[in-house]
Structure formats: structure tokens, C-alpha cells
Amino acid sequence: VHKQLKYYLMAPGPTPVLTQALSKMSEPLIHHRTPLFEEVMASVREGLKYLFQTEQEVLILSCSGTGSMEGAVSNFMCRGDKAICVRGGKFGERWSEICTVYGVEPLNIDVQWGEAVDPAIIADMLQKDSSIKGVFIQASETSTAVAHPIKEIAEIVKKYDDTIFVVDGISAVGVFPLPMDEWGIDILLTGSQKSLMLPPGLAFAAVSEKAWKFYEKSDLPKYYFDLGKQLKKQNENQSTFTPAVTLVIGLKEVLDHIRAEGLDNIFERHDRLARATREAVKAMGLELLAKNSPSSAVTAIKSPEGINGGDVVKLLRNKHNITIAGGQAQLKGKIFRIAHLGYVDIYDVIIGISALEMALSELGYKFQLGKGVAAALEIFNNDLKA
Amino acid sequence: VHKQLKYYLMAPGPTPVLTQALSKMSEPLIHHRTPLFEEVMASVREGLKYLFQTEQEVLILSCSGTGSMEGAVSNFMCRGDKAICVRGGKFGERWSEICTVYGVEPLNIDVQWGEAVDPAIIADMLQKDSSIKGVFIQASETSTAVAHPIKEIAEIVKKYDDTIFVVDGISAVGVFPLPMDEWGIDILLTGSQKSLMLPPGLAFAAVSEKAWKFYEKSDLPKYYFDLGKQLKKQNENQSTFTPAVTLVIGLKEVLDHIRAEGLDNIFERHDRLARATREAVKAMGLELLAKNSPSSAVTAIKSPEGINGGDVVKLLRNKHNITIAGGQAQLKGKIFRIAHLGYVDIYDVIIGISALEMALSELGYKFQLGKGVAAALEIFNNDLKA
């Protein structure tokens, strides 16, 4: 066996770190209560507004994405409130769990894992019960690689003055369009380790004017994740508590990079990589988990009959030094997931598909080697000619 | 003016990052659900037990120190509980604020800023009211540079089965002795950006068996900071939520370094740097804020009559490229603070005192230039001969 030394990170987060950010973050640490750091903060505040397509401040929290999810409940809901939670995967379940912990009653919409929610169900629930305070959802449900119809749901929720629309965009912001202000999303979240091409450790929350009114009324306990306090501090280019300085410095590099590429190009690139990945696995005779509305961040593939998805993950790790993701919870062993978000481009897909072909071949899956890569090349070739 | 290019970080956190950690953290990111990361976790779990002088698991959280303080309340207290909060500075106030947010009634002991708490007050309160569930304190109150008498208070609290002793050791663990198991501290916290010589972004909490029983009864909401869930995951060398992978990798380097130096040597080094700093400023005719029990982590110095402490901080920053800290809240303008913890040794103190001499001289303070450095050299010379 050839001992692979080069490591490839192809899981849906953490994703590979932007080289310029890695380099900048390896410089000696600076203090955060300094004009130098405040300049960095001023720059990232603007860059985040561009990324989130919003005029609102994007709050920076030092935690993983889940911390921002907890903050999205504890800052805006009240004890005893009712909230719709779309449960179409592991992260949808997380909304429901957080609500329960805080004494918010989750009204769960259980969507089959692999499917997107039908907006009509939400419209119906809101119409029947106008006391529902929030609708909590994922833009991209990472565990199933499904994108929920955010624009359509935003249209519905914005009709209700007493209901906010809370979108976990952790693996979606900077991957496909989620223009917060234009669509009327009230709270939009993301994390540093997805399309933002940074190590994990930062999370982000943008809050609409409508949602800030909910903040004023909220009676749930919050301290570290108090978003109102963070807003005040950010307006002074500071942070309530000691921020993860290194990551904020890396963030400036990343946001400069994002602005240089341009959001439209970024969305197009992710769409291209996702289409190529899907066509490649279909050409290999494999089936996607996402029945409709696949996410551009990650592709979930059903493991072929007789092959455990976990074995695909292990073989890629042990022999190819490539990290992809397996299935979680009820999908364990049944699927594997290849990500294509962040600091990746067409040749990363070629590597991923090539490795997958070899791994499945070794595990006894019968197909014509090279079929997958050929299908991906076909997509890229057409796109490049266009 | 000579344009200084070399930057010195002499604030009480963030502190300079260990060079080996900086280098290791600049390598390409790895995924956390991999055997490679699990090996790192196994190593840091052992290293943290050594640092905390405990047999208990030290829980790793991706947040700043304040997140671990919030967790120390929300995981162990119940709504309506009473808790003693020693308020002798800004961080003592934080305990009281967090308790209030969670509906825990803070019984505040207001200690004059610059003084250590008298353990007899705590003994008296506990004797009069056995329903008090917790005693919350700082080992080193960073805002005043005072060390509270932790050993003595632990002796008192351990007599009460229904009371736990919670110690914020954020700028104390790895600076001076706090042997958790031996003294009977129930919860001991620290952060990554102090003696641990890492960037901010990780916090740590060790929990005694006695405190875990309080966890079982606690009815306060917690999700991201749920320490019981984190304990289960750490036993599998994992983390509840995506950890700040880069910092955990740096942590391994740091803990290896700490073990190589040895805790006793580390405590002795910090004590030496603190003594030298105190003698130096006294030789310059300056007064310490700490009336008794100064912390070995940082020294708080009263600004001389007619000189604003903030101007000392600014001059050191603008002309010498050195970050020290000013006073916070009621001490703003009245003091400045020079830290000597983490990846620092005797020549860092020489630099700090030299710069302070020049800055105070420029601001019009009358003293014989070189007096401070001479006093520090005297200490170091004696120690080196011993």
C-alpha cells in the first residue's frame, strides 16, 4: 500500500482553511483591546454584512455553531412560547432539543430524512395558531444534504408580526443565496468552519429589526450568548467577552477573499461542484439521499446494497487519507457524505470522486471505473466553455 | 521617534502564544471525528489532569472563560438557590450577574477592590444559613491583581455536604498552586489565553464527585455548556459539539511543554516574576493596589498622583508597541496592570519595567531612572545564585 501523506478534508465541516488565513493566524497573537484589533473588527463587520446580504449587524460569537443556535432561542423566545421546529435531520432535532431545554414548546414538523419540508404545512400551522412565536429551520440540513425552501417559508412567516423566522445557515451562508433582508429572514446563523474556510470556534448571528423587538420581551436566561450586549460592543468594534482573536484575524482574510471572488461567483462555484458530484455518483449507479432539493454544500449518497457506508468512510480514511462523513443517527451505515463547500474547486471534486471510485471498487461494488470522474468532467467542461 | 516593530503582549490575557503551539496550529486543519484527533484528545485529557492536579476529567469547552463561568452556575445550581458571590473586582461581579440571570439568589460579599476576602465571613454565612448551595470566587481577581485565600475557604466549604466551592481559576491555574483534589475545590475553571499560552477560544472546567451530584439535581437550562454531556463525549475522546480543533491541537503542545517544565518550577517561575515586578515598582516609589495577597499572575500599580493610568497604557502602546492593561470600572484611570504569566520569563519583566520607567519619566513622574530594573535584577540575581 502506498502510504499517502497528503491529507484531504472532504467532510461538511470543518472544511479546508484558506491558505492566507492559516498564514495570518500563525503570526504572534495581539491583544483585543487595541486599535489594531478594532481595525480588524471594523473590516470584518462590513465583510459579514456583505456575506449575509444584510444591513443589520452580524454578531460574532466565540463558540461552535450550536452556541449560536442556543442564542437564537434564548434571546428571542419566552418561557411557554410555542415554536415550529422543522425536524428533517439531526440539526432540525437540535432546534427542538434547545427549545425544550428552555421551556419553549416545540411544535415539530417531522419530515422524512432526505426530503425538504412542504411550506404549506407551516402556512397551515401558522394560520391555525397565531400564537406561534418562531419558525426554526435549517437552510441546509447537513445530516441529509437537503436544502429547505427558505424563500417560500420567509414569504409565509413575514405575514405574521408576532412570529420570527430563524434560519440555521451554518452550512448554507456563502454556499447558496440567502439574502436575509430581501427575503425577510429574521435570524440567520453560520459558523466559521464551513463556507468561511476557517477552523471551528466562531459562530455568527444576524438579527432583523423585527427580531430585536422579541429580544426586548424575552425572559429566558442568557449571559455568554446575550446578543443585545454583543451588539452594543460590536458598535465599538469590540466584543462582550474575550473573542477568539486568532480566528477573527483569519476571518478578515477570508472575508477579503470572499469579496474578491464575489458572492455570485461563489454561489455559482458551489452549484457547479454540487452538480458535478451528483452527476458523478449517479453515473456510477449510486442513488442520492435527497429526493428533491439537494444542498450545494454536501452530497449524501446511499451506500450500495451490501456495503456499509461506514466502511466507505473508513477505507477512504485509512488508505486514501481522505476524511468524508458517514451517516448520523438513523442514517448510520446507510449513507456517506462528500462535501464541496468552502475553499474547494473543481479538482477537489475530481479527487473526491476518484477516491470514491477506488474505494467502492475495493469494497466489491460493480461499476465501470472512471464513469464518475467522466461525468464530473463533462459538467466542468461544459461550464468552462460557457 | 524610533518606530518599534517588535510587539510585546503584557496584559493579563491574552498572553503570548507558545512558539511550538503557534507553529503546530498553522498546519492544515484536520477533522475532529478521526483517530488522529482522538489521539490528541487522549493526550490533552491526561495533560489537563496534571495541570489541574486532579483525578477528575477536565472538560474542554469552545468558548471564552466566561462561558465556563456560566456553565458552572447553570449545571450545578437550581432556580431559587442561594449562592455566595465574592465581589472584590470585575470578575467577582460577573459571578453575581450570572447567578441573577439564572434566578439564583446571589449573597454578595463586597470586598474592597484591592483586598482579599476574609474567610471568616464565609464561614459565618454558611454557619448561619446551611441552605446556601454554592460559594463562587476568583482564585486570582484579574481586575485588582489580588489572590483570594482559596485553601482556607475550601477547608470551610468542604464541611457542608450541600454546598459546593466554585473557583474561577482563569488567571490562576498554572500560575500558583490550586491542587483541586487535595484542597477540595469542587469546580475549577480556566481559559486558554492565560497560563496556557494559547489564543483565546477554549475554556476548561474540572468537576468534583460532590459537584456531579448537584448536576443531577440542577433544573437550570443548559445546552451548549451541558457539562454532563461533554463528560460522556470526552470519555470517548470526543466533544459534544464541533470543538475548536486548532486550539486543541495547540493545547497538546502546551501541555507537553508544561509537563516538561514541571508544575513546581512553573509556580516558582511565576512567583519570581511577580516578586521582581512588585519590588521594581516599589523601588520606583510606586504603590501596589493589592494591600495583601497579591496575585502572581499580574501586578496592579496605582498610577502616580497627577498621571492618568490610561495615559501610561496609551504611551506604552503607541511609542513602545507594548500592550499592558489599564484599570476597569471604578479603577479606570487609577491603576495600570502588568502581567507576568504564561510564556514569559525574567527578561520579559526586564522589558516591561524598562518600558514603564521610560513611559512614566516621559509623563513627568519624578524618580531615578533605572531604579526599577535594578530592583528586579537584584531578585533575579539572588534567585539564580540560590
Side-chain angles (χ1 to χ4, degrees):
Chain A
V1 176
H2 172 64
K3 178 74 190 148
Q4 297 277 349
L5 290 174
K6 200 161 174 183
Y7 175 66
Y8 295 97
L9 192 44
M10 297 188 172
T15 62
V17 177
L18 180 73
T19 310
Q20 298 93 304
L22 213 46
S23 157
K24 199 80 189 169
M25 291 189 295
S26 73
E27 292 182 11
L29 189 66
I30 61 165
H31 199 271
H32 54 294
R33 308 276 182 212
T34 54
L36 189 57
F37 184 75
E38 286 166 6
E39 274 173 41
V40 173
M41 276 295 283
S43 169
V44 302
R45 288 172 62 205
E46 285 312 306
L48 285 168
K49 286 178 186 176
Y50 173 75
L51 175 69
F52 275 67
Q53 299 178 266
T54 185
E55 299 290 317
Q56 302 299 325
E57 185 75 15
V58 183
L59 304 165
I60 305 171
L61 303 168
S62 297
C63 59
S64 89
T66 302
S68 69
M69 290 175 72
E70 181 164 353
V73 173
S74 66
N75 280 266
F76 305 102
M77 296 289 111
C78 291
R79 205 171 167 78
D81 276 354
K82 283 182 276 189
I84 292 173
C85 295
V86 175
R87 293 202 301 190
K90 196 188 156 208
F91 294 96
E93 289 181 349
R94 190 161 291 177
W95 279 132
S96 183
E97 288 166 13
I98 296 172
C99 284
T100 303
V101 158
Y102 277 90
V104 172
E105 186 190 339
L107 307 177
N108 299 314
I109 302 178
D110 284 311
V111 180
Q112 199 186 324
W113 288 31
E115 290 184 14
V117 71
D118 177 0
I121 300 172
I122 294 169
D124 191 50
M125 288 172 78
L126 287 174
Q127 203 180 9
K128 284 182 182 147
D129 185 352
S130 62
S131 75
I132 294 168
K133 282 282 162 36
V135 176
F136 292 80
I137 198 168
Q138 274 63 40
S140 171
E141 169 58 67
T142 312
S143 64
T144 62
V146 165
H148 287 301
I150 300 304
K151 188 181 180 184
E152 289 76 1
I153 302 169
E155 285 292 334
I156 295 161
V157 181
K158 77 163 90 156
K159 290 178 205 147
Y160 296 86
D161 288 343
D162 294 328
T163 314
I164 52 171
F165 186 36
V166 182
V167 177
D168 160 5
I170 293 174
S171 64
V173 169
V175 176
F176 51 81
L178 286 170
M180 174 165 165
D181 293 355
E182 187 192 323
W183 287 2
I185 297 168
D186 292 304
I187 295 163
L188 182 58
L189 312 174
T190 197
S192 56
Q193 79 279 21
K194 307 280 182 176
S195 82
L196 276 171
M197 308 175 270
L198 287 173
L202 289 182
F204 306 92
V207 179
S208 73
E209 282 176 30
K210 180 178 170 185
W212 281 120
K213 290 182 198 145
F214 285 62
Y215 171 84
E216 295 303 330
K217 289 182 195 156
S218 167
D219 63 358
L220 297 177
K222 56 236 164 214
Y223 194 84
Y224 187 72
F225 297 127
D226 190 321
L227 298 178
K229 283 190 186 161
Q230 180 64 15
L231 177 65
K232 275 184 201 147
K233 285 289 184 178
Q234 275 192 208
N235 285 330
E236 302 160 8
N237 290 322
Q238 278 296 343
S239 187
T240 325
F241 308 113
T242 308
V245 174
T246 315
L247 292 173
V248 176
I249 284 167
L251 179 63
K252 182 186 177 309
E253 295 301 307
V254 162
L255 290 168
D256 289 352
H257 187 84
I258 283 174
R259 205 186 273 271
E261 185 178 1
L263 270 187
D264 288 343
N265 290 324
I266 288 173
F267 297 150
E268 196 182 312
R269 173 167 56 84
H270 283 100
D271 176 68
R272 173 179 302 125
L273 304 185
R275 279 187 289 119
T277 302
R278 291 194 294 265
E279 290 311 314
V281 296
K282 283 195 267 181
M284 292 162 67
L286 298 169
E287 201 185 333
L288 301 176
L289 177 70
K291 293 206 174 43
N292 49 27
S293 191
S295 168
S296 299
V298 53
T299 297
I301 300 140
K302 290 188 185 175
S303 207
E305 182 116 8
I307 295 177
N308 187 299
D311 291 340
V312 179
V313 175
K314 268 184 213 141
L315 185 57
L316 283 172
R317 180 173 72 214
N318 296 338
K319 203 159 194 173
H320 298 268
N321 212 12
I322 295 178
T323 297
I324 66 165
Q328 295 169 292
Q330 63 189 69
L331 291 174
K332 200 165 184 167
K334 292 180 186 161
I335 63 163
F336 48 86
R337 294 172 294 152
I338 300 182
H340 28 71
L341 81 160
Y343 191 41
V344 288
D345 210 333
I346 58 175
Y347 299 109
D348 296 288
V349 170
I350 298 295
I351 291 168
I353 298 299
S354 298
L356 181 62
E357 292 205 25
M358 287 188 274
L360 285 177
S361 173
E362 184 169 339
L363 290 169
Y365 177 61
K366 300 294 176 206
F367 70 108
Q368 195 186 325
L369 203 69
K371 271 275 190 187
V373 173
L377 285 176
E378 193 69 33
I379 299 271
F380 295 148
N381 203 37
N382 282 333
D383 279 19
L384 288 173
K385 276 191 288 190
Chain B
V1 175
H2 172 65
K3 177 76 190 143
Q4 297 278 349
L5 290 172
K6 201 162 173 181
Y7 175 66
Y8 295 96
L9 192 45
M10 297 189 173
T15 61
V17 177
L18 180 73
T19 310
Q20 299 91 304
L22 213 46
S23 157
K24 198 80 189 170
M25 290 189 296
S26 73
E27 293 182 11
L29 189 65
I30 62 165
H31 199 271
H32 54 294
R33 308 277 182 211
T34 55
L36 189 57
F37 183 75
E38 286 166 7
E39 274 174 41
V40 173
M41 277 294 282
S43 169
V44 302
R45 288 172 62 206
E46 285 311 306
L48 286 168
K49 286 178 187 176
Y50 172 74
L51 175 69
F52 277 66
Q53 300 178 264
T54 184
E55 298 292 316
Q56 301 300 323
E57 186 76 13
V58 183
L59 304 165
I60 305 170
L61 303 169
S62 298
C63 58
S64 88
T66 302
S68 69
M69 291 175 71
E70 181 164 352
V73 173
S74 65
N75 281 267
F76 304 102
M77 297 289 110
C78 291
R79 205 172 166 79
D81 276 354
K82 283 182 276 191
I84 292 174
C85 295
V86 176
R87 293 202 299 189
K90 196 189 157 208
F91 294 96
E93 288 182 348
R94 190 161 291 177
W95 279 131
S96 183
E97 289 166 15
I98 296 172
C99 284
T100 303
V101 158
Y102 277 90
V104 172
E105 186 191 338
L107 307 178
N108 299 315
I109 301 177
D110 284 311
V111 179
Q112 200 187 323
W113 289 31
E115 291 185 14
V117 71
D118 178 358
I121 300 172
I122 294 169
D124 191 51
M125 288 173 77
L126 287 175
Q127 204 180 8
K128 283 181 182 148
D129 185 352
S130 62
S131 76
I132 294 169
K133 281 285 163 39
V135 176
F136 291 80
I137 198 168
Q138 273 63 40
S140 171
E141 170 58 68
T142 311
S143 63
T144 62
V146 164
H148 288 300
I150 300 304
K151 189 180 180 184
E152 289 76 1
I153 302 168
E155 286 293 334
I156 294 161
V157 182
K158 78 164 87 154
K159 292 178 205 147
Y160 296 86
D161 288 344
D162 294 328
T163 315
I164 52 171
F165 186 36
V166 182
V167 177
D168 161 5
I170 292 173
S171 64
V173 169
V175 176
F176 52 81
L178 286 170
M180 172 166 166
D181 293 356
E182 188 191 324
W183 287 2
I185 297 167
D186 292 305
I187 295 162
L188 183 59
L189 312 175
T190 198
S192 55
Q193 79 279 21
K194 309 278 180 175
S195 81
L196 275 171
M197 308 174 270
L198 287 172
L202 289 182
F204 306 91
V207 179
S208 73
E209 281 177 29
K210 181 178 171 186
W212 281 120
K213 291 182 198 144
F214 285 61
Y215 172 84
E216 294 304 330
K217 289 181 194 155
S218 166
D219 63 356
L220 297 177
K222 57 236 163 217
Y223 194 84
Y224 187 72
F225 297 127
D226 189 321
L227 298 179
K229 282 190 187 163
Q230 180 64 16
L231 176 65
K232 275 185 201 147
K233 285 290 184 178
Q234 276 191 207
N235 285 330
E236 302 162 6
N237 290 322
Q238 277 296 343
S239 187
T240 324
F241 307 113
T242 309
V245 174
T246 315
L247 293 173
V248 176
I249 285 168
L251 180 62
K252 182 186 177 308
E253 296 301 306
V254 163
L255 291 169
D256 289 352
H257 187 83
I258 284 175
R259 204 186 272 271
E261 184 177 3
L263 270 187
D264 288 343
N265 291 323
I266 289 173
F267 297 150
E268 197 183 311
R269 172 167 58 84
H270 282 100
D271 176 67
R272 174 178 303 125
L273 304 185
R275 277 188 291 120
T277 302
R278 291 194 295 264
E279 290 310 314
V281 296
K282 282 195 271 181
M284 292 163 67
L286 299 168
E287 202 185 333
L288 301 176
L289 177 69
K291 293 207 174 38
N292 49 27
S293 193
S295 168
S296 299
V298 54
T299 297
I301 300 140
K302 290 188 186 174
S303 207
E305 183 115 9
I307 296 177
N308 187 298
D311 291 340
V312 180
V313 175
K314 268 184 213 138
L315 186 57
L316 283 173
R317 180 172 71 214
N318 296 338
K319 204 161 195 173
H320 299 268
N321 211 13
I322 295 179
T323 298
I324 66 164
Q328 295 169 294
Q330 62 188 70
L331 291 174
K332 201 165 184 168
K334 293 181 184 159
I335 63 162
F336 48 86
R337 294 173 293 151
I338 300 182
H340 28 72
L341 81 161
Y343 191 41
V344 288
D345 210 332
I346 59 176
Y347 298 109
D348 296 289
V349 170
I350 298 295
I351 292 168
I353 297 298
S354 299
L356 181 62
E357 291 205 27
M358 288 189 273
L360 284 177
S361 173
E362 183 168 341
L363 290 169
Y365 178 60
K366 300 293 176 211
F367 70 108
Q368 194 186 325
L369 203 69
K371 271 277 192 186
V373 172
L377 285 176
E378 195 68 32
I379 300 270
F380 295 148
N381 204 36
N382 282 333
D383 279 19
L384 288 173
K385 275 192 289 191

